[in-house]
Amino acid sequence: SAVPRNHLGLHSPVPRGGRRKMKLKMKEARLLGQTSSEPTEMDHWSRHDKYDGDIFLESNYRKHLARHANKVLLRVRMLYYIKHEILGDLVHHISDGQNASALPIYPPHCDQAPAPWWDREADRSLVVGTYKHGYENYSQMRSDPALIFLARCGPPTHTVEEKELGKLSDDEDGSETTAAPGPDDLPSEPATPNPSVPGEEGGQTASDEDPNKPQWPSMQDLNSRLRRVITSYQRNFKKEELKLAQKAKPMEPHAAAVEAINQQLGTNWDWHQLAMYLWKVERTEKYERIVRERERQRMEVNQKKWSRREEQDFYKTVSTYGVDFDRQKNRFEWTKFRTMSRLEKKFDDTMTEYYKAFVAMCKRVCCMKLTEEEECTELYVEPLPEDKARRTLERINLLSKIREEILPHPQLDERLRLCQVSADVPDWWVPGKHDKDLLVGVAKHGLGKTDFFILNDPELSFREIIRKNMISVKSEGSSNTLKLE
């Protein structure tokens, strides 16, 4: 046999349904053998034979026990929800005796009020009273001065006070509709009239005689109202709280804040003028953001487009100057390259992307092996002839090796002293000294127009040699002129 365990968790009351529907569902579950309430643990205490209700309990008692056990769990869930989900931290104020009307509790709107005078204040007192006095203790709720019932209906005036039933009401097991009150729910009539209460005859209360006095609802009506309020809380609590919070927000800011803003702006505006000014500022900033965003998008589109002139300028520069790569920062430096190639509008990321695509194109033309990054390049570059592509790659590698490996080498000067004079250099060439100046000049200016850039660089020794040669040539020319004369 299985012990029902379908009441895990107490955050929300169990959805209520009719007895007939519940019985049909249980019957179908038994027939299909899919009862989810069966314990999964093999050693659970409920699996022992001595706790088998089908063997040791009569069928009528099993039905009675199952019905009332379900009611107890439903009631515990409702009380848990009232305390933790509705009241929360307000339980301390309720325990201190604070009036229910002063508590920030906002019950949602519910129809089918149990009495004509019933309103949201009554719903608030009903929820607070259920937590404070317990479920169905309506006589104590009516006598509590912290609730609204005592002021509206007065204290209980029955000759025999409303019986606080220890058992569970039959309306707990049914649907949301309220059944007719049974004989046990009605107040019992006294055997003899009570002379202490004036105006009572035949067991009628004073409130029954006075039609202008509010009538106290029956216990079943109050139970139905409580369940309806809890259900509405579950559906509309967050929505109602947000609405009330928005209504409670002050529309006018604090005067000190307005004064502080006026001092900062150097103005003497009131709140409306200040609001208009701030609105204009916000609108202007929003418009500027839109303009900047459009400009950024336009520039991104232009960055991806390479004109024919830009491609040719890039090819000329990269084939004569190469690229600058900073190994410490692990990135390319495009400042000088961009100036030489007249590509000032291109960003660094755009230049890097195009350079990688250009190198991949050259390797592909020369049938060289590409790296994984080069194979994933999506940018298209117009292919070059094989001889130009191979020569460009060789120059890029040569210039990169000079800048990144040769010049930073710590033993460069010692190794340059070992250089010998060859037939390709002029007579004034000093091995070691002029070799280093040549490396520095190539790294600085590249291989394009070396006779102009390298020879006229004031930081290199070649300019001084040219100046001396020019002076000697001029002096020789003047002496030859004198001889002819």
Side-chain angles (χ1 to χ4, degrees):
S1 177
V3 175
R5 302 172 69 188
N6 58 345
H7 294 280
L8 301 176
L10 299 171
H11 285 83
S12 58
V14 177
R16 308 179 62 82
R19 293 184 183 179
R20 186 173 183 82
K21 293 182 180 179
M22 188 177 298
K23 289 181 179 180
L24 290 175
K25 290 182 180 179
M26 293 178 64
K27 187 175 181 180
E28 291 177 359
R30 291 194 191 98
L31 292 175
L32 296 175
Q34 297 177 351
T35 53
S36 60
S37 59
E38 185 174 357
T40 57
E41 299 87 351
M42 297 300 297
D43 297 334
H44 197 267
W45 60 269
S46 61
R47 303 184 68 89
H48 294 285
D49 293 339
K50 63 179 180 179
Y51 298 114
D52 193 346
D54 295 337
I55 299 176
F56 297 102
L57 299 179
E58 296 181 358
S59 60
N60 293 333
Y61 182 70
R62 288 201 306 270
K63 294 179 181 178
H64 169 80
L65 185 62
R67 181 173 66 252
H68 287 283
N70 187 59
K71 292 177 185 178
V72 170
L73 293 174
L74 289 173
R75 183 174 298 182
V76 171
R77 285 195 173 192
M78 179 182 292
L79 295 175
Y80 181 91
Y81 185 84
I82 291 174
K83 179 179 179 181
H84 294 277
E85 301 296 332
I86 298 178
L87 299 180
D89 297 336
L90 299 177
V91 295
H92 303 292
H93 301 283
I94 297 173
S95 302
D96 295 339
Q98 188 172 354
N99 197 295
S101 59
L103 298 174
I105 302 174
Y106 309 101
H109 174 73
C110 298
D111 53 357
Q112 300 180 11
W117 55 269
W118 199 274
D119 55 4
R120 289 194 176 185
E121 290 290 336
D123 288 334
R124 180 189 292 126
S125 296
L126 180 62
V127 173
V128 174
T130 301
Y131 163 74
K132 187 175 181 181
H133 300 288
Y135 187 74
E136 288 187 349
N137 290 331
Y138 298 119
S139 61
Q140 297 182 18
M141 297 182 199
R142 187 174 175 182
S143 303
D144 191 346
L147 305 179
I148 200 174
F149 304 132
L150 182 62
R152 291 192 178 182
C153 299
T157 56
H158 298 82
T159 56
V160 179
E161 289 188 353
E162 185 179 359
K163 186 183 296 184
E164 302 293 345
L165 298 177
K167 65 177 183 177
L168 300 171
S169 303
D170 291 337
D171 61 350
E172 288 281 349
D173 190 46
S175 61
E176 191 66 23
T177 58
T178 306
D184 294 338
D185 297 327
L186 297 176
S188 59
E189 297 182 357
T192 58
N194 189 356
S196 62
V197 181
E200 288 188 355
E201 294 180 5
Q204 299 294 329
T205 62
S207 61
D208 293 335
E209 293 180 356
D210 188 1
N212 297 325
K213 196 169 186 179
Q215 301 293 323
W216 181 250
S218 65
M219 180 181 293
Q220 291 180 341
D221 291 340
L222 293 173
N223 290 342
S224 299
R225 183 64 179 182
L226 179 61
R227 290 197 302 271
R228 192 172 288 110
V229 170
I230 299 303
T231 304
S232 299
Y233 253 109
Q234 291 177 314
R235 295 175 181 173
N236 304 323
F237 179 74
K238 292 184 179 180
K239 186 185 298 184
E240 292 291 332
E241 286 291 328
L242 289 175
K243 289 182 180 179
L244 292 172
Q246 291 177 357
K247 291 181 180 179
K249 285 184 179 179
M251 299 303 294
E252 295 289 338
H254 199 273
V258 177
E259 184 178 356
I261 297 175
N262 281 326
Q263 290 179 358
Q264 185 177 1
L265 298 176
T267 58
N268 191 20
W269 293 336
D270 58 6
W271 162 241
H272 298 286
Q273 293 174 337
L274 186 60
M276 182 60 66
Y277 170 76
L278 295 177
W279 176 75
K280 290 181 179 180
V281 171
E282 183 181 2
R283 186 179 62 177
T284 304
E285 292 178 353
K286 184 178 180 180
Y287 176 75
E288 291 177 354
R289 285 197 301 269
I290 294 174
V291 173
R292 288 195 298 268
E293 181 65 20
R294 290 180 179 176
E295 183 67 18
R296 185 187 64 81
Q297 293 177 358
R298 186 183 64 82
M299 292 185 66
E300 287 182 356
V301 173
N302 293 336
Q303 288 293 315
K304 295 180 181 179
K305 293 182 180 179
W306 285 75
S307 63
R308 186 65 178 172
R309 183 196 64 81
E310 292 174 342
E311 291 179 350
Q312 291 178 355
D313 291 341
F314 184 91
Y315 165 69
K316 291 178 182 179
T317 306
V318 78
S319 60
T320 56
Y321 178 77
V323 291
D324 292 327
F325 184 78
D326 192 343
R327 288 191 173 184
Q328 295 181 354
K329 298 180 180 179
N330 194 23
R331 67 179 185 182
F332 292 95
E333 295 291 342
W334 297 104
T335 304
K336 188 173 182 179
F337 187 98
R338 190 184 293 109
T339 303
M340 295 175 63
S341 58
R342 297 176 298 173
L343 297 173
E344 290 83 0
K345 295 182 179 180
K346 297 296 182 181
F347 297 154
D348 289 352
D349 295 339
T350 307
M351 300 285 288
T352 303
E353 182 182 6
Y354 187 83
Y355 170 73
K356 292 180 180 179
F358 180 84
V359 173
M361 178 271 298
C362 293
K363 289 184 177 181
R364 196 177 291 109
V365 170
C366 299
C367 299
M368 296 182 180
K369 185 178 180 180
L370 276 68
T371 61
E372 295 181 0
E373 184 179 4
E374 292 171 348
E375 290 179 353
C376 298
T377 303
E378 298 179 356
L379 185 62
Y380 175 77
V381 180
E382 189 72 22
L384 296 174
E386 184 178 356
D387 56 342
K388 289 186 177 181
R390 190 177 300 277
R391 184 169 60 252
T392 302
L393 289 176
E394 291 176 355
R395 287 192 175 184
I396 291 174
N397 294 332
L398 174 63
L399 293 168
S400 298
K401 191 172 184 179
I402 292 174
R403 295 188 181 106
E404 300 172 17
E405 298 180 11
I406 297 177
L407 290 179
H409 199 280
Q411 299 178 355
L412 175 63
D413 295 335
E414 298 178 2
R415 295 184 178 183
L416 287 177
R417 294 192 190 100
L418 303 177
C419 295
Q420 301 294 327
V421 179
S422 63
D424 298 334
V425 297
D427 298 337
W428 50 265
W429 191 273
V430 179
K433 177 182 178 181
H434 293 154
D435 292 329
K436 184 176 182 180
D437 287 345
L438 178 62
L439 292 174
V440 173
V442 171
K444 185 177 181 180
H445 303 286
L447 298 175
K449 297 182 180 180
T450 55
D451 56 342
F452 177 78
F453 291 109
I454 296 179
L455 293 180
N456 292 284
D457 192 338
E459 297 180 359
L460 304 178
S461 60
F462 302 121
R463 184 177 181 181
E464 184 65 21
I465 295 174
I466 293 176
R467 189 182 65 82
K468 291 180 180 180
N469 289 336
M470 293 294 294
I471 293 174
S472 62
V473 168
K474 288 181 180 180
S475 61
E476 290 178 0
S478 59
S479 61
N480 292 332
T481 303
L482 292 174
K483 289 180 180 180
L484 291 174
E485 291 178 354

